[in-house]
């Protein structure tokens, strides 16, 4: 029996060993990946502008996120040979497509929050009821 047969559909040995589409999905839907894509959907940003627009992201984490999305072909890094150095980040065509999908999910989440809140309350009440009954 080979390794692929033993492992479950979503189990992996390491990140590079993942199904390629799953790894990209992880990058696009990561905490900072979502926010970077949605901000860049608006317009290109310089690093410091993007960091301020996102808020509460460390320089290291934003750098890693941008590098990952650039490697995946979703973000374009344009370093201008000027002093002081100027680097602009924008979306590539597939980055814009991904960002549009992420934004649609974010819009859906915002629109459906009342339903989610209601489901959570019902779940919590039912769980509390079961706990009291024990």
């Amino acid at each position: 029996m080979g390794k692929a047969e033993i492992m479950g559909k979503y189990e992996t040995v390491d990140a590079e060993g993942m199904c390629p589409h799953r790894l990209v999905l992880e990058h696009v839907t990561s905490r900072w990946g979502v926010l970077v894509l949605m901000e860049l959907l608006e317009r290109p940003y310089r690093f410091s502008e993007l960091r301020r627009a996102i808020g509460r992201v460390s320089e290291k984490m934003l750098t890693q996120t941008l590098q990952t999305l650039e490697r995946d072909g979703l973000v374009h890094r344009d370093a201008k040979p000027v002093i002081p150095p100027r680097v602009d980040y924008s979306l590539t065509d597939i980055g814009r497509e991904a960002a549009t999908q992420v934004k649609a999910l974010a819009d859906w989440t915002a629109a459906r929050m009342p339903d989610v809140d209601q489901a959570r309350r019902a779940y919590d009440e039912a769980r509390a009821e079961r706990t009291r009954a024990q």
Side-chain angles (χ1 to χ4, degrees):
M1 211 178 218
K3 187 181 278 190
E5 296 172 68
I6 295 170
M7 296 178 68
K9 182 176 178 182
Y10 298 108
E11 294 177 58
T12 59
V13 176
D14 60 29
E16 288 296 327
M18 285 185 191
C19 295
H21 68 275
R22 179 173 174 217
L23 187 57
V24 173
L25 183 62
E26 191 174 292
H27 296 162
V28 168
T29 60
S30 71
R31 177 180 184 181
W32 302 117
V34 166
L35 297 175
V36 165
L37 290 171
M38 287 179 49
E39 284 299 327
L40 290 178
L41 191 55
E42 301 294 320
R43 65 177 177 83
Y45 279 88
R46 294 180 71 177
F47 183 88
S48 57
E49 291 179 310
L50 185 58
R51 187 168 178 218
R52 279 191 302 274
I54 291 172
R56 297 176 63 187
V57 60
S58 70
E59 187 173 320
K60 178 182 176 184
M61 200 66 240
L62 182 56
T63 298
Q64 288 176 350
T65 301
L66 287 166
Q67 287 173 346
T68 298
L69 294 174
E70 182 183 9
R71 181 173 183 246
D72 288 343
L74 305 176
V75 168
H76 173 72
R77 180 181 186 273
D78 183 20
K80 308 237 189 284
V82 295
I83 297 178
R86 178 184 172 107
V87 179
D88 293 314
Y89 293 92
S90 60
L91 294 174
T92 62
D93 288 343
I94 66 169
R96 182 161 299 285
E97 189 177 332
T100 301
Q101 298 298 319
V102 166
K103 185 172 181 336
L105 182 58
D107 291 346
W108 174 86
T109 303
R112 299 303 277 186
M113 245 356 260
D115 298 313
V116 171
D117 287 336
Q118 182 180 357
R120 287 176 174 172
R121 281 192 302 279
Y123 176 89
D124 292 345
E125 289 169 11
R127 188 169 181 153
E129 211 35 59
R130 284 193 304 273
T131 302
R132 283 193 294 272
Q134 291 177 355

